[in-house]
Amino acid sequence: MAVTMLQKLNRIYPLQYEILPLSLLAAIFYLTVVNYPSLPDSIPTHFNFRGLPDGWGSKTEIFIYPGISLLVYILITVISLATAVSSNPLRFINLPVKIKQPLNSAQVEELRLTMVRCLFALKTLILGLDTYLLYVTLEAGFNRTNGPAAQWLIAFLAGII
């Protein structure tokens, strides 16, 4: 049984896929820990529509980035794994019953594969966005930049949508 689940998991969600999201998560933790001691007491916590800081907070608020990133990583990974190994993946697929019922097993497997891969892409994009926002916050905190570039935010948000 365990071998079958591992085979199914490896077919639908190969573990080497996790290299990129884990690397982004590690970068978030690394950037936070390495830069925290030299941050000024007050750092930007919010940027306006033009990318300029308009909210400030304590430097300890920088730890929000790794906390949220870890939470997102765990949540999406658990949902992905549950979907990948489920004996009834239809319960994870949000379609009306009249569309789900006539699906054959090949179609269900195709939907499962698509959903798991889309969740992986979503996780990677969110972690990429978090990494970028942390970097911009650090740079603005050190007065090396004003804030995020609109084109990068638009690219990440378009990818997520």
Side-chain angles (χ1 to χ4, degrees):
M1 169 110 174
V3 172
T4 306
M5 285 180 65
L6 284 174
Q7 289 172 337
K8 183 189 289 188
L9 178 63
N10 196 39
R11 182 178 52 81
I12 294 171
Y13 193 81
L15 293 179
Q16 61 265 27
Y17 282 11
E18 287 301 308
I19 292 171
L20 182 57
L22 281 173
S23 297
L24 290 168
L25 192 60
I28 290 169
F29 276 89
Y30 175 80
L31 286 171
T32 302
V33 171
V34 166
N35 289 292
Y36 179 76
S38 56
L39 278 173
D41 290 335
S42 181
I43 62 167
T45 57
H46 189 268
F47 298 90
N48 65 20
F49 186 69
R50 290 180 295 175
L52 300 172
D54 65 356
W56 297 84
S58 165
K59 75 179 195 175
T60 58
E61 291 184 36
I62 202 73
F63 290 106
I64 290 173
Y65 287 99
I68 289 174
S69 299
L70 182 62
L71 182 66
V72 165
Y73 178 84
I74 290 170
L75 181 65
I76 295 177
T77 299
V78 166
I79 293 169
S80 298
L81 293 175
T83 304
V85 299
S86 174
S87 60
N88 181 17
L90 284 177
R91 68 182 179 159
F92 294 101
I93 298 170
N94 187 16
L95 289 173
V97 173
K98 66 181 183 178
I99 294 175
K100 277 201 256 188
Q101 279 181 335
L103 294 175
N104 62 38
S105 61
Q107 291 169 320
V108 170
E109 285 305 310
E110 182 73 26
L111 280 172
R112 178 200 316 248
L113 182 64
T114 301
M115 188 169 126
V116 169
R117 302 264 167 97
C118 286
L119 284 168
F120 165 77
L122 178 66
K123 174 173 54 177
T124 304
L125 284 167
I126 290 172
L127 290 174
L129 177 61
D130 287 351
T131 306
Y132 174 67
L133 291 174
L134 171 62
Y135 173 76
V136 168
T137 300
L138 291 169
E139 290 294 300
F142 291 129
N143 290 320
R144 294 190 289 232
T145 188
N146 288 332
Q151 67 269 20
W152 285 107
L153 290 178
I154 290 168
F156 278 115
L157 294 175
I160 290 170
I161 290 171

